[in-house]
mmCIF file of all heavy atoms in Angstrom:
data_model
loop_
_atom_site.group_PDB
_atom_site.id
_atom_site.type_symbol
_atom_site.label_atom_id
_atom_site.label_comp_id
_atom_site.label_asym_id
_atom_site.label_seq_id
_atom_site.Cartn_x
_atom_site.Cartn_y
_atom_site.Cartn_z
ATOM 1 N N SER U 16 -21.786 -12.941 -39.603
ATOM 2 C CA SER U 16 -20.310 -12.727 -39.704
ATOM 3 C C SER U 16 -19.669 -13.472 -38.539
ATOM 4 O O SER U 16 -20.260 -13.646 -37.471
ATOM 5 C CB SER U 16 -20.068 -11.236 -39.337
ATOM 6 O OG SER U 16 -20.715 -10.458 -40.326
ATOM 7 N N ALA U 22 -5.484 -16.098 -28.407
ATOM 8 C CA ALA U 22 -4.800 -15.104 -27.528
ATOM 9 C C ALA U 22 -3.985 -15.827 -26.511
ATOM 10 O O ALA U 22 -4.351 -16.979 -26.091
ATOM 11 C CB ALA U 22 -5.710 -14.075 -26.931
ATOM 12 N N THR U 61 -14.301 -17.833 -30.907
ATOM 13 C CA THR U 61 -15.121 -17.498 -32.150
ATOM 14 C C THR U 61 -16.222 -16.611 -31.749
ATOM 15 O O THR U 61 -16.947 -16.821 -30.766
ATOM 16 C CB THR U 61 -15.667 -18.757 -32.782
ATOM 17 O OG1 THR U 61 -14.583 -19.666 -33.176
ATOM 18 C CG2 THR U 61 -16.526 -18.441 -33.934
ATOM 19 N N ILE U 73 -22.916 -16.746 -24.604
ATOM 20 C CA ILE U 73 -21.520 -17.227 -24.476
ATOM 21 C C ILE U 73 -21.386 -18.616 -23.968
ATOM 22 O O ILE U 73 -22.064 -19.014 -23.043
ATOM 23 C CB ILE U 73 -20.798 -16.245 -23.646
ATOM 24 C CG1 ILE U 73 -19.271 -16.560 -23.609
ATOM 25 C CG2 ILE U 73 -21.298 -16.164 -22.124
ATOM 26 C CD1 ILE U 73 -18.353 -15.452 -23.124
ATOM 27 N N SER U 89 -19.230 -5.285 -19.660
ATOM 28 C CA SER U 89 -18.297 -4.096 -19.753
ATOM 29 C C SER U 89 -17.627 -4.207 -21.212
ATOM 30 O O SER U 89 -17.510 -3.146 -21.809
ATOM 31 C CB SER U 89 -17.330 -4.203 -18.613
ATOM 32 O OG SER U 89 -16.762 -2.971 -18.339
ATOM 33 N N ARG U 102 -18.095 4.147 -36.790
ATOM 34 C CA ARG U 102 -19.114 4.175 -37.913
ATOM 35 C C ARG U 102 -19.606 5.581 -38.082
ATOM 36 O O ARG U 102 -19.732 6.134 -39.188
ATOM 37 C CB ARG U 102 -20.273 3.268 -37.507
ATOM 38 C CG ARG U 102 -21.350 3.165 -38.620
ATOM 39 C CD ARG U 102 -22.471 2.231 -38.235
ATOM 40 N NE ARG U 102 -23.132 2.592 -37.009
ATOM 41 C CZ ARG U 102 -24.150 1.921 -36.574
ATOM 42 N NH1 ARG U 102 -24.578 0.831 -37.085
ATOM 43 N NH2 ARG U 102 -24.676 2.386 -35.437
ATOM 44 N N ASP U 110 -17.350 -4.986 -40.974
ATOM 45 C CA ASP U 110 -18.827 -5.061 -41.003
ATOM 46 C C ASP U 110 -19.400 -4.343 -39.790
ATOM 47 O O ASP U 110 -19.865 -4.960 -38.872
ATOM 48 C CB ASP U 110 -19.173 -6.463 -40.990
ATOM 49 C CG ASP U 110 -20.687 -6.760 -40.989
ATOM 50 O OD1 ASP U 110 -21.397 -5.724 -41.278
ATOM 51 O OD2 ASP U 110 -21.123 -7.882 -40.467
ATOM 52 N N ASN U 125 -6.736 -24.392 -24.420
ATOM 53 C CA ASN U 125 -6.113 -25.681 -24.698
ATOM 54 C C ASN U 125 -5.378 -26.192 -23.461
ATOM 55 O O ASN U 125 -4.475 -26.990 -23.571
ATOM 56 C CB ASN U 125 -5.139 -25.586 -25.852
ATOM 57 C CG ASN U 125 -3.954 -24.725 -25.626
ATOM 58 O OD1 ASN U 125 -3.872 -23.936 -24.632
ATOM 59 N ND2 ASN U 125 -3.008 -24.637 -26.455
ATOM 60 N N ALA U 129 -8.455 -26.615 -14.339
ATOM 61 C CA ALA U 129 -7.984 -27.187 -13.079
ATOM 62 C C ALA U 129 -6.438 -27.006 -12.887
ATOM 63 O O ALA U 129 -5.814 -27.197 -11.877
ATOM 64 C CB ALA U 129 -8.284 -28.694 -13.066
ATOM 65 N N SER U 135 -8.349 -16.024 -17.156
ATOM 66 C CA SER U 135 -9.167 -14.759 -17.464
ATOM 67 C C SER U 135 -8.410 -13.751 -18.275
ATOM 68 O O SER U 135 -8.944 -13.038 -19.183
ATOM 69 C CB SER U 135 -9.709 -14.107 -16.172
ATOM 70 O OG SER U 135 -8.781 -14.120 -15.175
ATOM 71 N N CYS U 141 -8.712 -12.455 -25.653
ATOM 72 C CA CYS U 141 -9.200 -13.044 -26.913
ATOM 73 C C CYS U 141 -10.516 -12.479 -27.249
ATOM 74 O O CYS U 141 -10.744 -12.242 -28.387
ATOM 75 C CB CYS U 141 -9.184 -14.563 -26.693
ATOM 76 S SG CYS U 141 -9.088 -15.500 -28.295
ATOM 77 N N SER U 199 11.113 -12.303 -29.716
ATOM 78 C CA SER U 199 12.309 -12.712 -30.386
ATOM 79 C C SER U 199 13.512 -12.043 -29.783
ATOM 80 O O SER U 199 14.706 -12.333 -30.131
ATOM 81 C CB SER U 199 12.301 -12.441 -31.774
ATOM 82 O OG SER U 199 11.993 -11.093 -32.076
ATOM 83 N N TYR U 200 13.331 -11.104 -28.820
ATOM 84 C CA TYR U 200 14.410 -10.401 -28.201
ATOM 85 C C TYR U 200 15.386 -11.219 -27.405
ATOM 86 O O TYR U 200 16.566 -11.066 -27.344
ATOM 87 C CB TYR U 200 13.898 -9.232 -27.346
ATOM 88 C CG TYR U 200 14.933 -8.224 -26.811
ATOM 89 C CD1 TYR U 200 15.422 -7.273 -27.704
ATOM 90 C CD2 TYR U 200 15.434 -8.324 -25.591
ATOM 91 C CE1 TYR U 200 16.395 -6.374 -27.317
ATOM 92 C CE2 TYR U 200 16.433 -7.444 -25.148
ATOM 93 C CZ TYR U 200 16.881 -6.451 -26.016
ATOM 94 O OH TYR U 200 17.839 -5.579 -25.562
ATOM 95 N N TRP U 201 14.800 -12.244 -26.684
ATOM 96 C CA TRP U 201 15.514 -13.037 -25.752
ATOM 97 C C TRP U 201 15.210 -14.520 -25.994
ATOM 98 O O TRP U 201 14.449 -15.141 -25.220
ATOM 99 C CB TRP U 201 15.279 -12.620 -24.382
ATOM 100 C CG TRP U 201 16.239 -13.045 -23.320
ATOM 101 C CD1 TRP U 201 17.392 -13.825 -23.491
ATOM 102 C CD2 TRP U 201 16.294 -12.632 -21.927
ATOM 103 N NE1 TRP U 201 18.075 -13.958 -22.325
ATOM 104 C CE2 TRP U 201 17.457 -13.231 -21.312
ATOM 105 C CE3 TRP U 201 15.445 -11.814 -21.110
ATOM 106 C CZ2 TRP U 201 17.769 -13.022 -19.963
ATOM 107 C CZ3 TRP U 201 15.806 -11.668 -19.799
ATOM 108 C CH2 TRP U 201 16.963 -12.250 -19.206
ATOM 109 N N PRO U 202 15.707 -14.990 -27.122
ATOM 110 C CA PRO U 202 15.316 -16.386 -27.548
ATOM 111 C C PRO U 202 15.741 -17.445 -26.552
ATOM 112 O O PRO U 202 15.123 -18.582 -26.584
ATOM 113 C CB PRO U 202 15.962 -16.485 -28.924
ATOM 114 C CG PRO U 202 17.004 -15.439 -29.003
ATOM 115 C CD PRO U 202 16.648 -14.365 -28.023
ATOM 116 N N VAL U 242 7.466 -0.813 -6.087
ATOM 117 C CA VAL U 242 7.236 -1.259 -7.532
ATOM 118 C C VAL U 242 7.756 -0.338 -8.516
ATOM 119 O O VAL U 242 8.389 -0.660 -9.536
ATOM 120 C CB VAL U 242 5.691 -1.570 -7.678
ATOM 121 C CG1 VAL U 242 5.463 -1.772 -9.197
ATOM 122 C CG2 VAL U 242 5.278 -2.770 -6.960
ATOM 123 N N LEU U 286 0.499 -20.169 -1.355
ATOM 124 C CA LEU U 286 1.561 -21.089 -1.506
ATOM 125 C C LEU U 286 1.258 -22.272 -0.641
ATOM 126 O O LEU U 286 1.034 -22.108 0.627
ATOM 127 C CB LEU U 286 2.841 -20.493 -1.096
ATOM 128 C CG LEU U 286 3.301 -19.207 -1.942
ATOM 129 C CD1 LEU U 286 4.567 -18.651 -1.383
ATOM 130 C CD2 LEU U 286 3.408 -19.501 -3.469
ATOM 131 N N ALA U 357 18.678 -35.572 -19.141
ATOM 132 C CA ALA U 357 19.937 -35.106 -18.575
ATOM 133 C C ALA U 357 20.272 -36.010 -17.389
ATOM 134 O O ALA U 357 19.405 -36.581 -16.743
ATOM 135 C CB ALA U 357 19.877 -33.732 -18.185
ATOM 136 N N ILE U 379 4.421 -30.908 -16.071
ATOM 137 C CA ILE U 379 5.119 -29.675 -16.388
ATOM 138 C C ILE U 379 4.754 -29.302 -17.847
ATOM 139 O O ILE U 379 4.677 -30.162 -18.683
ATOM 140 C CB ILE U 379 6.602 -29.970 -16.294
ATOM 141 C CG1 ILE U 379 7.021 -30.317 -14.831
ATOM 142 C CG2 ILE U 379 7.412 -28.712 -16.781
ATOM 143 C CD1 ILE U 379 8.519 -30.731 -14.792
ATOM 144 N N THR U 382 7.535 -24.234 -22.203
ATOM 145 C CA THR U 382 7.233 -23.283 -23.230
ATOM 146 C C THR U 382 8.294 -22.123 -23.256
ATOM 147 O O THR U 382 9.298 -22.313 -22.753
ATOM 148 C CB THR U 382 5.750 -22.753 -23.006
ATOM 149 O OG1 THR U 382 5.400 -21.900 -24.080
ATOM 150 C CG2 THR U 382 5.624 -22.058 -21.692
ATOM 151 N N GLY U 400 -20.751 -23.114 -35.573
ATOM 152 C CA GLY U 400 -21.220 -23.562 -36.822
ATOM 153 C C GLY U 400 -21.964 -22.454 -37.541
ATOM 154 O O GLY U 400 -22.108 -21.332 -36.962
#
Side-chain angles (χ1 to χ4, degrees):
Chain U
S16 302
T61 298
I73 184 164
S89 202
R102 183 178 59 179
D110 178 20
N125 68 348
S135 41
C141 205
S199 55
Y200 188 79
W201 201 351
V242 172
L286 304 177
I379 299 174
T382 184

